[in-house]
Amino acid sequence: ETGVTQTPRHLVMGMTNKKSLKCEQHLGHNAMYWYKQSAKKPLELMFVYNFKEQTENNSVPSRFSPECPNSSHLFLHLHTLQPEDSALYLCASSQDRGGAESSDTQYFGPGTRLTVL
Amino acid sequence: AQKITQTQPGMFVQEKEAVTLDCTYDTSDPSYGLFWYKQPSSGEMIFLIYQGSYDQQNATEGRYSLNFQKARKSANLVISASQLGDSAMYFCAMRGTTNTGANSKLTFGKGITLSVRP
């Protein structure tokens, strides 16, 4: 496997279900990200992890719970979601050098298309 | 705060012709980076090209080039010799740098749909 992988690719769940999205990066990067892409909206950053530590939570509702056990894996645990949470969830990774350099490119996975009934 | 503006409606281009996709930005950061991504219908965001705010020359990557006009705060993507596989959504994005270092956050525009006609 190369690049950034995400599973599952498609997920349909009811509002009372609990499910998890998985992301794995094979690029040796130290930062990982969750984004939400809704129809006709710009990508919204949800969470950022650097060296397994969460460095940004972009006012995301608590029904979304991220987990980063190591620099290669990132999960998004979902519970009691709402229909408006239906979207494409994209994971990305980058080598964040943390200095005054903004060229660190984020590489994205194929996304999980989530439908909440 | 950073802002990316992509206002073009759906764009159409004939195969083998060149096309320019517009992007304007606004930021108060002392330095920043500009990125273009392509998103086919499959959903994956594919990195195309990067331009740093202090780069003297416009970035080029194969058929992609970035027309960077700092004073106008524009970073337009030029695709030369369009191919049918170029049909996709194209997103412009920015990453800023504060006095203490680079932000992790990429700010994206709303995207532009490009359709290549045979």
Side-chain angles (χ1 to χ4, degrees), chain A residues 7-26:
Chain A
T7 54
R9 294 293 309 276
H10 299 271
L11 178 62
V12 179
M13 58 187 289
M15 289 192 284
T16 57
N17 291 156
K18 289 184 180 181
K19 296 286 184 184
S20 295
L21 309 184
K22 179 183 176 182
C23 175
E24 184 173 0
Q25 59 97 359
H26 309 269

Side-chain angles (χ1 to χ4, degrees), chain B residues 13-20 61-65 77-83 86 114:
Chain B
V13 65
Q14 206 67 30
E15 193 178 9
K16 300 181 183 176
E17 291 186 351
V19 63
T20 298
E61 288 285 350
R63 294 186 299 111
Y64 304 108
S65 60
L77 177 71
V78 180
I79 305 175
S80 63
S82 297
Q83 301 172 357
D86 294 334
L114 175 67

